[in-house]
Amino acid sequence: AEKQEVPILYWLSGLTCTEDNFIQKAGAQNYANKHGIALVCPDTSPRTTPELEIPTEHDSYDFGSGAGFYVNATQTPWNKYYNMYNYINAELPLILKNSNLPLQLNNASIFGHSMGGHGALISYLRNPRLYKSVSAFSPICNPINCRWGQKCFGGYLGDDNKAEWIKYDSTELLRSFQPIGDGTKEIQILIDQGSDDQFLNDGDDNHNQLLPQNFKQAS
């Protein structure tokens, strides 16, 4: 980046994480430096000051702080701050544009893990002109049909607002995806899912939180 503008790669983290998890643990900086890529690692939810905290915001690992689920909340009181979808796909690119950093603003891709993989997939499928490709590690592929997604979507978007839920479900978005241009360009999606992942069989009832087979069937 000292010599030329570089492409952007956004990383979205999973439940309970902050932006520091990937930055401190992944060791990705060496690879990014080697290949000339700018890593951008946002947080997983808003982080309000104590006087602005929402009651119950920190009560559960899978809802509230650390679990913004990359949606724009419509329900009070969450809709005041919990608008992570807009933050990732509108506000953050604008911040980078105005930063004067040596970035190729029209050459960005996105990837993530678990909840962050979900966020990366929906961001790409809803904004195919904004991202060149998307990759996801063990993503939550069909949140309207898993407990994590149902809890967050119900709380942020409303239990009865299923039409809004579909806007943030990558499996449903893939079913209705319209390729850009003349439709001949292939979309670039890579999903890496381990077969022994505990969240393919979560809890005493072996609940599948990730549902990659649903995404595959939709393709």
Side-chain angles (χ1 to χ4, degrees):
E2 294 178 358
K3 299 179 181 179
Q4 61 185 5
E5 293 182 345
V6 297
I8 301 166
L9 184 56
Y10 295 93
W11 166 263
L12 305 185
S13 288
L15 288 167
T16 76
C17 294
T18 69
E19 72 279 9
D20 288 332
N21 289 72
F22 185 79
I23 294 170
Q24 295 177 0
K25 297 178 181 180
Q29 291 91 335
N30 286 336
Y31 295 96
N33 182 61
K34 178 181 178 180
H35 296 286
I37 299 171
L39 289 172
V40 179
C41 306
D43 205 345
T44 54
S45 75
R47 305 287 175 173
T48 56
T49 56
E51 63 272 16
L52 296 176
E53 285 182 0
I54 298 171
T56 74
E57 186 176 16
H58 310 303
D59 289 0
S60 174
Y61 84 95
D62 56 358
F63 185 79
S65 58
F69 237 85
Y70 303 103
V71 304
N72 290 336
T74 61
Q75 301 299 295
T76 305
W78 309 102
N79 57 347
K80 187 171 184 178
Y81 301 116
Y82 279 70
N83 296 290
M84 293 300 293
Y85 176 83
N86 273 358
Y87 176 67
I88 299 300
N89 297 288
E91 294 178 28
L92 193 51
L94 185 59
I95 290 170
L96 295 177
K97 180 179 179 180
N98 294 329
S99 69
N100 294 318
L101 291 170
L103 301 172
Q104 296 176 16
L105 297 170
N106 294 322
N107 191 10
S109 293
I110 190 167
F111 72 142
H113 167 249
S114 190
M115 180 186 72
H118 143 77
L121 288 170
I122 64 169
S123 294
Y124 176 82
L125 290 168
R126 290 180 59 170
N127 304 278
R129 296 185 183 277
L130 188 59
Y131 303 106
K132 301 295 185 182
S133 67
V134 60
S135 301
F137 301 97
S138 303
I140 302 170
C141 291
N142 194 194
I144 65 174
N145 287 315
C146 80
R147 284 197 289 256
W148 281 337
Q150 290 164 354
K151 179 176 181 177
C152 283
F153 284 9
Y156 296 138
L157 305 174
D159 287 323
D160 299 324
N161 196 0
K162 297 302 194 295
E164 195 70 14
W165 291 27
I166 289 173
K167 296 179 183 178
Y168 299 102
D169 186 295
S170 60
T171 296
E172 296 298 325
L173 290 171
L174 188 60
R175 296 187 205 280
S176 59
F177 182 78
Q178 297 294 321
I180 59 176
D182 60 6
T184 60
K185 181 181 178 181
E186 292 185 354
I187 58 175
Q188 301 295 318
I189 299 175
L190 172 65
I191 292 178
D192 192 330
Q193 174 62 61
S195 59
D196 289 334
D197 193 311
Q198 72 181 90
F199 294 115
L200 294 172
N201 299 282
D202 187 31
D204 294 337
D205 60 349
N206 295 322
H207 178 70
N208 191 333
Q209 297 275 26
L210 307 178
L211 299 169
Q213 71 278 9
N214 293 3
F215 188 88
K216 184 177 180 180
Q217 290 169 2
S219 65

